[in-house]
């Protein structure tokens, strides 16, 4: 563990195995310096335990940075459950996962991420109170995806101001990879703002629903990297900006909701050299965790969420401006600010 390439002085990493329900889960706590660790649970059919571990280490570090940039009193953590979200779910599995979360006694709060919905979290809640993203009960705030999507949309406008010379998206073309919870809601905002959409997904039903609502053009999953567009918006999984895709992009900016978009941080500099303005993922996609933070506080306030979201969008603008004026990659600027905020809390 201590030699793992994705280990970043994580405070603790917990493995859970429950033979009765088939649960195999990892909860990684990167930092509690700014408050209890918080971050969603992802259910995915990982290729291996190693792939699962790498994902949770990177995602939990990303949550520390994300929560610091959103300026909320939470540290960073993440959970992953090994399994197919369409076929392997059961109440017993989520109850076992709930007991795992409970065993950490509030060092980690969970919520939805890829493959997990509000109904799953309601089952987790039967075993532990350290859950957010619920739609019933005191201070419940529901699925955070709509707030994430709105934040990403506002972040795209902010990015467009710098990369395209105007935040007016009328007639602009946005290529969206993944039209699930975040991507789907985000497409609605983009269509309303007058943008032309090119979308892809591996889920045909989701694709059709979004195309019917927004008039989007559908392309095959691998073709999304080659389309000519103003902005590429990754809203599926991570590592989509890599050495294979880098030379395929025909866009002026990359701004989307997916976590860990760059396969390695050095890709930020390569994007900069190509003249592609990258909105750092954990800054632009912090809307959902702001909503979750409001719920965790026990006193949900939509005014507080709106104010934090507005400040986050402003922070994104500041990161982009500093990067553009200093000639640094945007992700390096964001990392430096996030690390400084965590260090000062320590
Ligand atoms: P989701 O599961 O609802 O949607 C993901 C979509 O991506 C699905 O429709 C899936 O079919 C599609 N997809 C998977 N592989 C694909 C591929 N190879 N090509 C094209 N499409 C593919 O998940 P979500 O909640 O919308 O999250 C999307 C991303 O945003 C994730 O990276 C997640 O970590 C991140 N994120 C989500 C939130 C949130 O509030 N839900 C907050 C911050 C970040």
């Amino acid at each position: 563990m201590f030699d793992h390439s994705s280990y970043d002085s994580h405070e603790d990493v917990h493995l859970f195995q429950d033979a009765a329900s088939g649960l195999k889960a990892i909860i990684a706590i990167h930092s509690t310096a700014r408050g209890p660790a918080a971050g969603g649970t992802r259910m995915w059919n990982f290729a291996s335990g190693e792939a699962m571990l790498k994902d949770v280490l990177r995602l939990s570090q990303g949550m520390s940075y994300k929560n610091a940039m959103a300026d909320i009193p939470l540290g960073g953590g993440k959970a992953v459950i090994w399994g197919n979200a369409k076929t392997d779910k059961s109440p017993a599995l989520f109850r076992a996962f709930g007991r795992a979360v409970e065993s950490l006694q509030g060092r980690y709060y969970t919520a939805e991420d890829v493959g997990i919905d509000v109904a799953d979290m309601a089952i987790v809640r039967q075993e532990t109170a350290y859950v957010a993203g619920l739609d019933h009960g005191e201070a419940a705030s529901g699925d955070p995806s709509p707030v994430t999507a709105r934040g990403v949309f506002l972040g795209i406008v902010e990015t467009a101001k710098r990369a395209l010379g105007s935040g007016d998206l009328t007639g602009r073309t946005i290529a969206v990879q993944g039209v699930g919870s975040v991507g789907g809601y985000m497409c609605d905002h983009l269509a309303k703002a007058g943008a032309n959409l090119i979308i892809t997904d591996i889920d045909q039903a989701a694709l059709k629903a979004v195309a019917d609502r927004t008039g989007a053009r559908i392309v095959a999953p691998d073709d999304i990297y080659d389309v000519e567009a103003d902005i590429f918006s990754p809203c599926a999984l991570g590592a989509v900006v890599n050495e294979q895709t880098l030379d395929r992009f025909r866009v002026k900016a990359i701004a989307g909701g997916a976590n860990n978009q760059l396969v390695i941080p050095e890709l930020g500099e390569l994007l900069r050299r190509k003249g592609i303005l990258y909105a750092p993922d954990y800054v632009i996609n912090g809307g959902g965790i702001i909503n979750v933070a409001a719920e965790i506080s026990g006193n949900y306030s939509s005014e507080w969420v709106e104010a934090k979201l507005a400040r986050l969008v402003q922070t994104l603008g500041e990161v982009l401006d500093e990067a553009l004026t200093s000639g640094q990659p945007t992700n390096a600027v964001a990392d430096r600010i996030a690390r400084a905020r965590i260090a000062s809390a320590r």
Side-chain angles (χ1 to χ4, degrees):
M1 172 59 67
F2 297 111
D3 298 328
H4 196 285
S5 60
S6 298
Y7 178 72
D8 174 54
S9 301
H10 289 68
E11 288 178 13
D12 38 289
V13 180
H14 306 263
L15 311 187
F16 297 94
Q17 205 272 132
D18 177 64
S21 64
L23 176 78
K24 283 198 175 86
I26 308 177
I27 299 176
I29 295 179
H30 177 258
S31 166
T32 55
R34 293 177 52 89
T41 297
R42 172 172 296 193
M43 183 163 184
W44 192 253
N45 218 352
F46 293 96
S48 64
E50 165 58 26
M52 182 183 187
L53 176 63
K54 185 174 178 183
D55 218 29
V56 78
L57 289 175
R58 291 193 64 189
L59 289 166
S60 56
Q61 178 197 33
M63 287 311 303
S64 283
Y65 285 20
K66 183 187 306 202
N67 296 344
M69 291 307 266
D71 196 23
I72 51 181
L74 295 172
K78 198 89 183 183
V80 287
I81 296 177
W82 197 347
N84 183 325
K86 291 213 159 51
T87 54
D88 294 341
K89 287 184 180 180
S90 70
L93 181 108
F94 286 112
R95 290 196 76 137
F97 179 67
R99 291 192 293 277
V101 173
E102 178 64 17
S103 73
L104 302 177
Q105 300 194 329
R107 279 177 60 70
Y108 167 68
Y109 279 80
T110 197
E112 298 88 352
D113 189 45
V114 177
I116 299 290
D117 59 29
V118 178
D120 304 326
M121 279 300 138
I123 303 172
V124 174
R125 177 68 183 86
Q126 292 171 17
E127 299 285 349
T128 182
Y130 303 116
V131 185
L134 299 166
D135 59 1
H136 286 89
E138 254 177 78
S141 66
D143 178 7
S145 305
V147 187
T148 304
R150 199 151 48 80
V152 176
F153 164 70
L154 295 171
I156 287 178
V157 171
E158 213 57 30
T159 307
K161 284 182 195 165
R162 276 102 182 154
L164 310 175
S166 160
D168 182 357
L169 299 180
T170 314
R172 298 292 191 188
T173 302
I174 321 281
V176 182
Q177 179 183 49
V179 291
S181 306
V182 174
Y185 290 119
M186 185 193 74
C187 284
D188 293 337
H189 290 293
L190 290 170
K192 214 169 145 201
N196 301 318
L197 301 176
I198 302 174
I199 61 173
T200 194
D201 201 293
I202 51 173
D203 179 336
Q204 297 306 315
L207 267 181
K208 185 176 179 323
V210 173
D212 286 352
R213 290 204 305 269
T214 62
R217 177 160 75 87
I218 295 174
V219 297
D222 191 53
D223 293 345
I224 199 74
Y225 303 110
D226 304 313
V227 298
E228 193 156 347
D230 292 295
I231 295 178
F232 171 58
S233 184
C235 295
L237 295 176
V240 295
V241 180
N242 53 53
E243 274 156 14
Q244 287 73 47
T245 57
L246 185 68
D247 289 329
R248 295 172 65 182
F249 292 121
R250 293 155 73 203
V251 296
K252 297 202 178 61
I254 296 181
N259 284 310
N260 297 339
Q261 293 169 25
L262 308 184
V263 72
I264 47 168
E266 290 73 16
L267 262 299
E269 169 61 12
L270 299 180
L271 285 173
R272 192 192 68 80
R273 286 189 204 157
K274 285 180 74 77
I276 298 177
L277 186 63
Y278 168 63
D281 44 15
Y282 63 81
V283 186
I284 193 171
N285 73 13
I289 197 70
I290 288 174
N291 208 50
V292 164
E295 182 171 341
I296 290 173
S297 76
N299 187 18
Y300 186 86
S301 148
S302 48
E303 290 77 25
W304 185 86
V305 170
E306 284 313 307
K308 284 284 180 197
L309 194 62
R311 182 69 191 100
L312 179 63
V313 173
Q314 210 180 331
T315 300
L316 173 65
E318 289 162 9
V319 168
L320 298 180
D321 286 342
E322 184 181 333
L324 287 168
T325 50
S326 66
Q328 294 172 77
T330 54
N331 59 315
V333 171
D335 284 359
R336 183 183 49 69
I337 298 172
R339 277 197 292 265
R341 289 184 181 187
I342 296 165
S344 79
R346 259 190 207 122

